[in-house]
Amino acid sequence: MKTYDVIIMGSGIVGSIEAAILAKHGYDVLLLEKGAHPRFALGEATLPQSSYWMWLISERYDIPELKQLSNADNVANSVSHRCGIKRSIGFAYHRPGEPQDPNETNQFVPPEYAYVSESHFFREDVDHFMVKTAVKYGATLRENAEVVDVDTDESGVCVTLKLGEVLNGRYLVDATGAKSLVAEKYGLRETPTRLVTQSRSIFTHARNLRPYDDFLDPDDLPGLSYSFHEGTLHHAFDGGWFWVIPFDNHAGSRNKLASIGLTLNMCKHPSSGLSAEAEVKEIMARYPSIAAHFESIEPIMPWIGTGRLQYSAKRSIGTRFFITTQAYGAVDALYSRGLINSLESLYYFTYRLIDALNEDDFSEERFAPVDEAQRKHLDEHDQMVNTGYMAMSHYVTWNAWLKVWISTKLYGDLWLMRTALRYAHTGDKSVLAELDTDTHVPFAEPMQHNIDLAGRVLNQVERGETTANDAAEQILSAMRSSDWLPHLIFGWGEANERHVDFSADNRMPKGLEWGKTVAPQWLRDHVFDFPLEPLMEAMAKHDQAVS
């Protein structure tokens, strides 16, 4: 009976990327899919960090197709004409029974980073593209192959399909999700979960969504670089938020759909007993501007409601198996961390698996750092999302918290750009491997200080021990006193600073100059220590292509 080097359960984007890498490097890979492609999937909005991880994985493991996914133009031209673009991250805050106040909106436009840009992935096309890439490199794909049992021990892996067929392998990767068979078989699920966030979702894909900008007076929204429709829009309110991810927001799109979803804080919105469609319409009706935005939509499938979204595992590794991020645990779609965490863990995991295959040594100790990374990622995301839900109770706290959040994004993006530029300058792949050992991110401690402070004061608001205004001022004060933030390009501690385009008005060059000449020495030595020449070359090529 044939024995595969690696059996991968789940052919979503992460499972397919892993299969493509291993097959490209000569390993015999079996990719199992319970259903068949193309098929529906969520996780559609990318961020600079998710794009950078794809770029870095592509370079490290020689998968050029993955680099196509890291750039919106390449996605639209070479992958699928049904994906959207993402120029910005927008937020509109709403109060029950009142029209949305334009002074309670926020828009963040990321810097024009080298090499990457963001997209709205139409996942059925993107996932199918990666599956075909894996097959092209030699992976064996089995669709409509439902796994009903797994067995792993020191001698190998056995996977049993629904019709009784048994498949053998040297190692097993579970890239499924919340219903991970491996997690269930080996008692890995934490019951109850350790995660603090409690939320649930209702979602669909719909046609005939009008841009939210059509309902706004441009004079009421000064300082916007892009329409809200050109990015991911969040309608936030006390106790929840809607996501709006359009796929038709550029001239080349052939997709008239949008992904629309509602996520509710279960502490404030416990299960209502209504159908998913009835509940989502009832919530929409509470907020006049949200109701107007969604009035014309036509869902192409029934609204789907979930129970509690959060789940977690005790560990992600075991005897000859690894469960990927989405099988290990999940928090919430807020802040789009799912794909970022999945790709980061894959980056750390794959070279360890290749070494294990070459050395025929699958000891758990080899993969322990990945297990620790997955735990850290999940717990950090849980803290961010739970703090975000507390902040949503009032616009003043929400506005202050968004500045904390966007500071974490700016430095997270910068950290990966640093590696990309150093690699581009040298062409030395050992630079890419340095991310494996950079366990201490220099800015993590001061950043965590602001996150923790925000959590504390927002908890005090929840308990009635302080006011929302006082809590917001404490958060903003901490941001003002953070000397590691480039205050010359954005008013991090200013309540009236609600929109920022980090690429406009030379903000990015000014920020880089600050980082290399004025920032605290530890930042200059350990974060801004990258060459600028590759960045300038990349930006020149970009400007030439646009012109």
Side-chain angles (χ1 to χ4, degrees):
M1 181 180 293
K2 179 171 183 173
T3 298
Y4 294 92
D5 288 318
V6 181
I7 298 176
I8 300 175
M9 297 164 50
S11 64
I13 189 170
V14 173
S16 297
I17 290 171
E18 184 68 13
I21 294 170
L22 294 171
K24 175 75 177 284
H25 287 77
Y27 300 99
D28 202 350
V29 181
L30 175 62
L31 185 59
L32 299 175
E33 170 57 43
K34 180 179 180 180
H37 288 273
R39 84 281 194 276
F40 176 84
L42 290 178
E44 298 137 323
T46 68
L47 286 168
Q49 279 175 263
S50 46
S51 296
Y52 257 121
W53 279 118
M54 287 186 283
W55 191 95
L56 292 165
I57 293 169
S58 172
E59 287 290 341
R60 187 173 190 180
Y61 296 107
D62 301 311
I63 308 293
E65 293 82 0
L66 189 54
K67 190 180 292 185
Q68 289 179 279
L69 295 181
S70 69
N71 180 283
D73 292 334
N74 292 339
V75 170
N77 295 330
S78 304
V79 176
S80 171
H81 295 298
R82 299 200 294 173
C83 294
I85 58 173
K86 183 177 180 180
R87 305 291 191 208
S88 71
I89 307 168
F91 299 90
Y93 190 83
H94 299 262
R95 301 168 187 270
E98 300 179 14
Q100 202 273 325
D101 182 351
N103 291 314
E104 295 184 345
T105 58
N106 301 77
Q107 186 185 70
F108 303 107
V109 179
E112 293 177 353
Y113 288 111
Y115 314 123
V116 303
S117 55
E118 290 70 73
S119 300
H120 288 163
F121 282 166
F122 192 60
R123 282 290 299 273
E124 66 180 66
D125 287 2
V126 170
D127 288 15
H128 198 192
F129 169 78
M130 279 312 306
V131 165
K132 290 184 288 187
T133 298
V135 171
K136 180 182 74 173
Y137 286 129
T140 299
L141 172 66
R142 293 279 301 273
E143 295 185 304
N144 300 307
E146 182 177 354
V147 179
V148 295
D149 194 19
V150 297
D151 187 31
T152 69
D153 58 30
E154 295 295 345
S155 64
V157 172
C158 289
V159 171
T160 304
L161 301 186
K162 188 173 184 179
L163 296 180
E165 183 180 2
V166 177
L167 305 165
N168 294 326
R170 299 171 64 200
Y171 197 83
L172 178 65
V173 175
D174 185 341
T176 55
K179 296 181 180 180
S180 162
L181 183 60
V182 173
E184 179 184 344
K185 173 69 181 282
Y186 293 105
L188 303 182
R189 279 283 171 258
E190 291 183 323
T191 307
T193 175
R194 68 179 185 272
L195 303 179
V196 178
T197 307
Q198 298 183 49
S199 62
R200 58 191 178 93
S201 280
I202 303 170
F203 56 86
T204 192
H205 277 182
R207 60 169 67 94
N208 293 336
L209 173 74
R210 290 181 60 190
Y212 186 59
D213 311 85
D214 290 355
F215 302 92
L216 305 173
D217 184 339
D219 293 336
D220 290 335
L221 294 169
L224 296 189
S225 298
Y226 297 100
S227 69
F228 285 119
H229 195 67
E230 292 177 278
T232 304
L233 174 62
H234 307 72
H235 288 303
F237 53 89
D238 182 13
W241 59 285
F242 283 88
W243 75 72
V244 185
I245 302 174
F247 303 114
D248 67 342
N249 59 358
H250 63 100
S253 175
R254 299 177 188 170
N255 189 350
K256 298 303 181 183
L257 299 179
S259 177
I260 300 171
L262 165 66
T263 306
L264 295 168
N265 178 352
M266 295 176 71
C267 299
K268 296 187 176 182
H269 296 276
S271 179
S272 67
L274 298 172
S275 69
E277 180 178 6
E279 184 170 22
V280 78
K281 287 183 176 180
E282 193 274 330
I283 297 289
M284 289 177 183
R286 298 180 190 178
Y287 304 95
S289 298
I290 296 177
H293 188 197
F294 294 142
E295 183 178 17
S296 63
I297 65 170
E298 298 176 10
I300 65 164
M301 63 185 198
W303 288 93
I304 298 171
T306 74
R308 186 181 178 188
L309 295 168
Q310 293 71 42
Y311 58 94
S312 57
K314 302 170 187 174
R315 54 191 171 90
S316 58
I317 59 174
T319 303
R320 291 196 183 238
F321 72 76
F322 172 70
I323 60 175
T324 63
T325 297
Q326 287 303 111
Y328 172 72
V331 181
D332 188 306
L334 189 62
Y335 309 135
S336 300
R337 283 294 312 187
L339 184 57
I340 294 172
N341 290 348
S342 295
L343 293 168
E344 184 171 355
S345 294
L346 186 148
Y347 191 89
Y348 301 147
F349 167 74
T350 302
Y351 86 90
R352 290 180 166 89
L353 178 56
I354 289 174
D355 287 348
L357 291 165
N358 292 342
E359 299 168 14
D360 198 30
D361 174 10
F362 300 94
S363 61
E364 294 182 34
E365 291 77 14
R366 180 188 294 274
F367 303 100
V370 189
D371 183 50
E372 179 58 31
Q374 294 218 115
R375 172 173 290 275
K376 179 173 178 286
H377 295 160
L378 187 64
D379 291 348
E380 288 175 346
H381 189 201
D382 182 38
Q383 181 183 18
M384 294 294 290
V385 173
N386 186 60
T387 305
Y389 276 117
M390 290 190 291
M392 285 180 203
S393 61
H394 302 81
Y395 179 71
V396 289
T397 51
W398 178 239
N399 181 46
W401 167 249
L402 283 177
K403 294 174 172 62
V404 178
W405 171 70
I406 205 66
S407 73
T408 71
K409 301 308 301 173
L410 183 68
Y411 271 95
D413 301 344
L414 185 66
W415 187 243
L416 299 186
M417 185 183 77
R418 169 183 178 266
T419 297
L421 292 176
R422 293 172 66 218
Y423 166 70
H425 186 64
T426 63
D428 182 357
K429 288 198 175 185
S430 67
V431 173
L432 300 176
E434 290 177 11
L435 278 176
D436 298 325
T437 56
D438 281 338
T439 54
H440 176 68
V441 180
F443 46 82
E445 186 174 339
M447 185 182 294
Q448 190 63 46
H449 169 80
N450 288 349
I451 295 169
D452 291 343
L453 181 144
R456 286 196 302 273
V457 298
L458 290 170
N459 260 307
Q460 291 169 3
V461 175
E462 294 268 296
R463 297 193 300 265
E465 296 172 359
T466 190
T467 67
N469 286 336
D470 286 346
E473 175 52 32
Q474 289 186 63
I475 295 169
L476 293 174
S477 176
M479 297 296 281
R480 285 194 294 271
S481 63
S482 297
D483 64 354
W484 51 275
L485 289 171
H487 292 277
L488 78 168
I489 65 172
F490 181 54
W492 298 97
E494 306 305 319
N496 62 349
E497 291 273 1
R498 297 180 290 106
H499 311 303
V500 59
D501 181 343
F502 285 108
S503 292
D505 303 321
N506 291 316
R507 288 181 194 252
M508 184 176 180
K510 289 177 182 177
L512 292 174
E513 182 180 6
W514 171 86
K516 284 188 165 291
T517 62
V518 180
Q521 191 65 47
W522 59 270
L523 274 177
R524 283 181 267 166
D525 291 343
H526 302 294
V527 178
F528 288 91
D529 57 335
F530 49 80
L532 290 176
E533 292 85 357
L535 176 60
M536 299 301 104
E537 292 172 7
M539 296 307 300
K541 289 180 180 178
H542 174 268
D543 293 342
Q544 186 177 12
V546 171
S547 61

